[in-house]
Amino acid sequence: MLDQPTTPKLIYPDTPPLDNRSLQLRKLVLRAMVGGGRGHPGSALSLIEILRCLYDDILNIKADRPDWDKRDRCILSKGHGCLALYAILSDKNFFSVTELDTFCHFDSILGGHPERGKIPGVEASTGALGHGLSIGVGLAIAAKLQKRKSRSVVIMGDGEINEGSVWEAAMTAAKHSLDNLIAVVDYNKLQSYGPTKQVMDMEPMVDKWQAFGFTVREVDGHNVEELKKAFKKPPEPGKPTAIICHTIKGKGLPPAENNPTWHHKSRITPEQLEQLYQALEEN
Amino acid sequence: MRKTSLNSVTKLAKKDKRVLFIGSDLGAGTMDEFRDSYPERFFMEGIAEQNMIGMAAGLAMDGFIPYLNTIASFITRRCLEQITIDLCLHNLPVRLLGNGGGLVYAPLGPTHLAPDDIALMRTLPNMTIIAPSDAMEMQAIMQQTLDIPGPIYIRLGKGGDPVVFPKGGKAKIGKAMQLREGRHAIFIATGIMSHRALVTAEMLAKKGLDCGVLHCHTIKPMDEEAILAAASEFPLIITLEEHSRVGGLGSAVVELLADHGPYPRLKILRLALPDSFQKNYGSQDALLEAAGLHPKNIAKTLLNTMFGA
C-alpha cells in the first residue's frame, strides 16, 4: 500500500497565474468532458501550456493542410492526455470546436485516445504507451533523408517513460544524431496509481536523458514564456533535445491538482462540472 | 529462402528509392551489398525490436517502404503491440521478414521457435501473411511486395528447402496454387509443408490414392474461392502446416468452411504441431517427424482416417 500522495516539491514556485488563453483552453477541455461525460482531466491539464506554446509559437503547421509535407510532426505519445490536444486542435481550426461536444460518442472522430486518419492534425494513434518516440525517430530520419526541415516533437508522460521501448527509441535518436527530434516529458510527478516517486521513480531524470545522448532543458511547464524560450533555442548540432517540463497534474482545477484520483474520471455529474467551471473562473 | 528474400530487398532498393532495410543485430556480413550500395537507406538498430517497428512506422508514414528482418519469434511475439498499433492500425507498408518461422531453430529451443507466428499475425486486421515454399517462390513473391498498401509478414524457411515452385510458374499474393491435381482427397498446405504434401501424395499414389495439393503461400487474405471449391469437390481435406494447431492455416480453413457450409460429406484432417512447447532439440526434420509431420507419418494418418486402422 502506498502512502497517501504528497504534493510534489516544485522547483518552480513562481509560476505566473493562468492567463485568459490558458483558461480558455481549459474550458474547452471541460466542454469535451461535458460531451463525453468522462476523460483524463488530470493528464490533460498538465499539458495545456506545453501544447499551447507548441501550437501557438513553435510548430510549423497549416490547419487547412494537415498533411502538408513540410510540416513539423507533433505526436502526443501520452494519448490519454488527448483532451488537451483536442482543445488546441479545435482552437486552431483543425476541426470545429463543436466536435468537442461529441467526445467519445459512438460516431465521433474524437475518442478517448487520438487516432491518425480520423482527426485532422493527429500524426499517430496513441494510447498504448511507449510508442510515440520510436515513431518520432522514424519521422525525424525520414525528414533528414528527404532533406526536409520538418522537426519531430514527441510528448510523453512521466509514467509513460517507465516503458523500456522509450529508451530503445532514445538510444536510436542519439545514434542517428537526430537534432530535428524533440522529446518532451510532461513531468507532473503523478502516475495512475500514485506519485511517480513511489510507483516508479524516474529520477535522476535529467541525468538519464543526458546519458542517453540528449541535450536536456528543464522548464516550468506552465510558464509559457519559459517554454517558448526552451523550444526556440536551437538544438545542439547532431544531438536530439529533451525538454523536461515540470508540471502539475490537474493544473488549474484545484480539486484535481496533484490528486491521482483525477487521473481518469467517468460518470461526471453536471453538478461536478459546474463546480469545475467555477473553479476555473476563480483562477 | 532467407538469402533470396534479403537479396530481393537489395534488388528492390535498386529500382525503388522508397525501399529501406532495417535489421536488429543480424549476423556479420548480412546485407553488406545493400549497406555498401545504399548506406543512407540501411539501418542496423541493435537488439531493440520494439523500436525497430515504431521507427519503421514513422518512416512509412512519410513515404518509405521499410523491409525489416530479424528472428521470427522476436518480431512477432515481442513486438505484437507495436505491429498491431504502429503498423496495422495505421495500415502502413512495412514488410516484416521473420527468420526461422516454425521449427527452423530446433537446436535453440522454445525461446527461438516460432510455431505461433501465423496465429499471432492472423488476428491483426490489415496484415498480409505469406509463407513461401522455397527460394524460387520467395523471389517471385518479393517482387510483388512493393505495391501492397498495408503491412506484410513473410515467414522465411531455413534455406535450401526443396523447390516445388514450378519453373516459369506464377505466384500471385492472395492466390493459392494447385501444385498437384487429385481425385480422392486434397492437401491444403503452406510454407515448406507443401513440399511434404507433394511427397506424401506421390507415396499415396503408389497405393492407388490420388491426392491433390493446394499450396497457400498467402494465409491472409485467404484464397477463399480456391478453398471453398476444394471443399465442394473433395470428401477429404488435409491441412498441413509447420505451425501450432491453434490459429494457423488449419484454423483459417476450418473457420472459412464453418462460415460457408454446411459441407455434410466433408471430412477435415488438421495436421499441425501440438498445442504444447517443444521438449526436444535436434533438427527441424526431427521435430516435424516427432509431431507426425514426416511424409510417411502423414500418409499413415491419412490412410487411417480414410480406411480405418
Side-chain angles (χ1 to χ4, degrees):
Chain A
M1 184 73 185
L2 293 177
D3 297 340
Q4 282 303 304
T6 51
T7 303
K9 190 179 167 198
L10 294 175
I11 61 169
Y12 298 102
D14 305 322
T15 309
L18 297 177
D19 63 9
N20 282 339
R21 176 130 182 81
S22 281
L23 290 172
Q24 172 227 350
L25 290 168
R26 281 177 172 76
K27 282 179 191 161
L28 292 179
V29 168
L30 285 183
R31 178 170 174 173
M33 282 186 69
V34 173
R38 65 183 308 128
H40 283 88
S43 317
L45 293 173
S46 59
L47 275 173
I48 295 281
E49 281 67 41
I50 298 169
L51 289 176
R52 164 190 168 178
C53 170
L54 282 167
Y55 282 83
D56 282 357
D57 299 295
I58 305 297
L59 296 173
N60 190 19
I61 46 172
K62 296 175 192 282
D64 57 343
R65 287 175 61 197
D67 56 355
W68 176 48
D69 70 340
K70 293 189 174 54
R71 74 190 182 281
D72 289 330
R73 273 69 168 165
C74 182
I75 295 175
L76 180 65
S77 190
K78 51 168 280 187
H80 57 285
C82 62
L83 284 168
L85 182 66
Y86 299 164
I88 194 80
L89 288 177
S90 67
D91 174 80
K92 291 286 174 191
N93 289 319
F94 278 87
F95 51 82
S96 161
V97 79
T98 58
E99 289 288 343
L100 297 176
D101 304 326
T102 72
F103 176 59
C104 283
H105 291 194
F106 180 75
D107 52 0
S108 176
I109 61 167
L110 305 179
H113 293 97
E115 285 191 65
R116 174 186 167 92
K118 271 191 184 171
I119 311 170
V122 168
E123 299 285 357
S125 302
T126 54
L129 297 172
H131 290 235
L133 193 59
S134 293
I135 296 174
V137 163
L139 293 170
I141 294 173
K144 285 194 179 263
L145 287 173
Q146 293 165 343
K147 306 203 184 324
R148 279 183 285 110
K149 286 187 179 154
S150 309
R151 287 170 299 179
S152 179
V153 179
V154 179
I155 304 159
M156 291 167 285
D158 49 11
E160 172 177 15
I161 64 172
N162 298 168
E163 292 280 9
S165 55
V166 169
W167 301 100
E168 292 185 7
M171 290 187 287
T172 313
K175 174 191 163 181
H176 292 288
S177 310
L178 298 179
D179 49 16
N180 56 349
L181 177 79
I182 303 173
V184 181
V185 180
D186 174 12
Y187 196 8
N188 61 35
K189 298 163 194 77
L190 278 180
Q191 50 197 115
S192 183
Y193 189 67
T196 52
K197 207 160 189 53
Q198 293 172 25
V199 179
M200 183 55 71
D201 192 0
M202 296 307 287
E203 288 295 342
M205 179 80 88
V206 171
D207 294 357
K208 275 196 178 71
W209 287 96
Q210 276 175 347
F212 276 77
F214 282 63
T215 303
V216 182
R217 291 171 197 155
E218 236 182 328
V219 292
D220 174 353
H222 297 298
N223 185 325
V224 177
E225 291 310 312
E226 273 200 29
L227 281 164
K228 268 196 238 177
K229 262 191 255 168
F231 279 110
K232 282 188 173 170
K233 195 170 169 189
E236 250 186 279
K239 285 182 85 171
T241 305
I243 301 185
I244 313 296
C245 301
H246 290 276
T247 57
I248 294 172
K249 196 156 182 166
K251 172 74 177 173
L253 286 181
E257 282 187 8
N258 292 322
N259 184 346
T261 66
W262 280 79
H263 175 79
H264 182 262
K265 281 279 179 198
S266 53
R267 293 185 293 277
I268 299 169
T269 63
E271 293 74 28
Q272 281 175 312
L273 280 161
E274 187 49 44
Q275 284 169 6
L276 292 178
Y277 271 116
Q278 278 177 12
L280 260 188
E281 296 296 343
E282 286 159 15
N283 259 282
Chain B
M1 202 191 289
R2 177 185 165 202
K3 205 169 163 208
T4 307
S5 166
L6 296 181
N7 288 344
S8 301
V9 177
T10 307
K11 284 182 194 149
L12 291 171
K14 187 176 181 185
K15 83 173 183 191
D16 194 320
K17 285 188 173 155
R18 297 173 302 166
V19 172
L20 301 170
F21 179 80
I22 310 178
S24 54
D25 181 30
L26 305 175
T30 310
M31 298 298 275
D32 275 357
E33 189 188 341
F34 190 116
R35 184 196 61 198
D36 295 343
S37 308
Y38 315 105
E40 73 289 355
R41 288 188 272 150
F42 176 86
F43 299 87
M44 192 63 72
E45 295 308 312
I47 306 162
E49 293 88 355
Q50 301 172 80
N51 176 62
M52 193 165 89
I53 304 281
M55 176 180 157
L59 285 156
M61 284 172 176
D62 274 330
F64 290 100
I65 306 175
Y67 284 72
L68 272 57
N69 178 226
T70 191
I71 292 177
S73 58
F74 305 156
I75 214 166
T76 56
R77 284 207 287 265
R78 186 180 201 97
C79 305
L80 189 60
E81 187 179 270
Q82 278 76 14
I83 297 174
T84 306
I85 293 169
D86 302 350
L87 305 187
C88 293
L89 179 59
H90 292 138
N91 200 18
L92 293 168
V94 174
R95 284 67 179 104
L96 308 175
L97 310 175
N99 293 349
L103 303 174
V104 169
Y105 290 119
L108 304 185
T111 59
H112 281 58
L113 299 179
D116 50 0
D117 55 343
I118 290 169
L120 294 171
M121 295 297 100
R122 267 189 70 224
T123 61
L124 307 180
N126 296 330
M127 180 60 86
T128 294
I129 305 169
I130 303 173
S133 58
D134 56 60
M136 296 300 292
E137 184 174 74
M138 177 64 81
Q139 198 166 14
I141 281 176
M142 285 298 287
Q143 302 308 316
Q144 299 164 44
T145 55
L146 280 180
D147 304 322
I148 309 253
I152 308 176
Y153 171 70
I154 301 178
R155 182 194 246 211
L156 307 185
K158 184 172 63 175
D161 303 289
V163 173
V164 300
F165 188 66
K167 211 170 179 184
K170 286 200 170 93
K172 190 171 180 329
I173 292 174
K175 292 300 278 185
M177 290 172 74
Q178 188 83 35
L179 294 178
R180 191 182 196 282
E181 300 292 333
R183 289 175 294 141
H184 301 125
I186 188 160
F187 284 98
I188 299 180
T190 188
I192 61 156
M193 297 309 286
S194 293
H195 172 255
R196 287 171 183 245
L198 280 174
V199 172
T200 310
E202 293 305 324
M203 285 168 64
L204 292 167
K206 289 178 189 148
K207 295 181 188 287
L209 196 65
D210 190 10
C211 297
V213 175
L214 185 67
H215 168 53
C216 290
H217 48 68
T218 310
I219 297 142
K220 186 177 181 176
M222 287 272 280
D223 185 348
E224 298 190 353
E225 199 183 332
I227 287 163
L228 294 175
S232 302
E233 192 179 341
F234 293 93
L236 175 63
I237 285 177
I238 313 103
T239 65
L240 188 56
E241 60 193 314
E242 183 195 7
H243 188 278
S244 164
R245 59 185 291 102
V246 180
L249 173 73
S251 300
V253 167
V254 167
E255 287 161 18
L256 177 72
L257 296 181
D259 288 346
H260 286 79
Y263 299 92
R265 287 188 302 278
L266 178 65
K267 165 81 185 159
I268 302 171
L269 189 57
R270 284 199 299 140
L271 300 185
L273 302 173
D275 177 22
S276 60
F277 289 105
Q278 287 291 336
K279 294 180 183 64
N280 302 100
Y281 304 101
S283 66
Q284 179 186 25
D285 279 347
L287 293 185
L288 284 171
E289 185 167 353
L293 300 179
H294 187 281
K296 66 177 190 263
N297 314 123
I298 300 167
K300 197 172 163 194
T301 308
L302 199 153
L303 289 170
N304 283 347
T305 303
M306 290 187 90
F307 306 114

